Amino acid sequence: MTKEIEIVEADARDIEEVMTVMNLAFDPRNGEAWTAAQCAGALSLPGSVLFLARSGRRALGFALARSVADEAELLLIAVRPDSQRSGAGKTLVGKIVSSYASKAIKKIHLEVRTDNPALAFYGRLGFVQSGLRRNYYRRSDGQFTDAATLSLEIV
Ligand SMILES: CC(C)(COP(=O)(O)OP(=O)(O)OC[C@H]1O[C@@H](n2cnc3c(N)ncnc32)[C@H](O)[C@@H]1OP(=O)(O)O)[C@@H](O)C(=O)NCCC(=O)NCCS
């Protein structure tokens, strides 16, 4: 029987589990994965939230976001490849949205490589493109790729 996806709020003690998912989910050639130190640094800032998606004791994915005043940024989201397309990513974003909505945050922004399939994922969740940053990401092969900036109004 498939276990339910549970979303739990996490903290710096959970970074090792976050890094396991991070290293499985992000292709190192794209240079998008963060280090444990970068995650810890972001988490130490006011307004940061980290959620883990679990199935039993297994971490399926995580989402890290930060708010400043009445706006927030989804900094990172990832689901382990063997658990993608089963609703974990959507459930994590839903949790971020409800958490920030309860704090009167009105908008969530994010940046994503324009050639990342996650662009379609964000579109399904209602994010709309608000801008384009040319040559924003540098891949390990030296190539540059554009970043789309997306946002979601929280009602
Ligand atoms: C992006 C990511 C987090 C999505 O997680 P997921 O758990 O697979 O997504 P879900 O199963 O919750 O999908 C939610 C919706 O998005 C759609 N979707 C998800 N991935 C998609 C893809 N690659 N292409 C098209 N649609 C996609 C799903 O079909 C689903 O649609 P539905 O609501 O009609 O059923 C996951 O693919 C991932 O970890 N990617 C690698 C890391 C990354 O690039 N993160 C984003 C940049 S920070």
Side-chain angles (χ1 to χ4, degrees), residues 106-119:
K106 297 194 170 61
K107 214 171 191 181
I108 301 184
H109 303 273
L110 62 86
E111 263 151 24
V112 59
R113 263 187 303 117
T114 49
D115 57 357
N116 189 335
L119 203 50

Side-chain angles (χ1 to χ4, degrees), residues 33-104:
W34 287 22
T35 63
Q38 287 173 311
C39 293
L43 259 181
S44 69
L45 298 171
S48 293
V49 287
L50 172 66
F51 291 105
L52 279 182
R54 290 189 179 286
S55 175
R57 297 179 57 155
R58 188 165 181 259
L60 304 182
F62 71 89
L64 175 65
R66 182 171 179 228
S67 65
V68 176
D70 64 354
E71 302 213 338
E73 186 174 8
L74 178 55
L75 298 168
L76 273 182
I77 181 167
V79 173
R80 47 197 312 152
D82 64 5
S83 302
Q84 290 177 6
R85 308 298 283 261
S86 59
K90 184 179 183 171
T91 312
L92 280 162
V93 172
K95 186 69 188 181
I96 296 268
V97 168
S98 61
S99 157
Y100 280 141
S102 69
K103 295 172 188 154

Side-chain angles (χ1 to χ4, degrees), residues 116-139:
N116 189 335
L119 203 50
F121 162 76
Y122 292 126
R124 295 289 304 155
L125 302 191
F127 282 83
V128 292
Q129 186 165 342
S130 52
L132 185 70
R133 294 181 175 162
R134 296 253 178 236
N135 299 326
Y136 188 75
Y137 293 104
R138 187 162 196 254
R139 292 166 43 104

Side-chain angles (χ1 to χ4, degrees), residues 4 9 11 13 18 22 24 40-41 46 54 66 73 76 79 87 89-90 105 116 124 126 128 134 137 144-145 154-155:
E4 294 278 312
E9 184 149 14
D11 60 31
R13 290 167 296 182
V18 164
M22 184 98 67
L24 289 168
R54 290 189 179 286
R66 182 171 179 228
E73 186 174 8
L76 273 182
V79 173
K90 184 179 183 171
I105 305 287
N116 189 335
R124 295 289 304 155
V128 292
R134 296 253 178 236
Y137 293 104
F144 289 92
T145 49
I154 301 178
V155 281

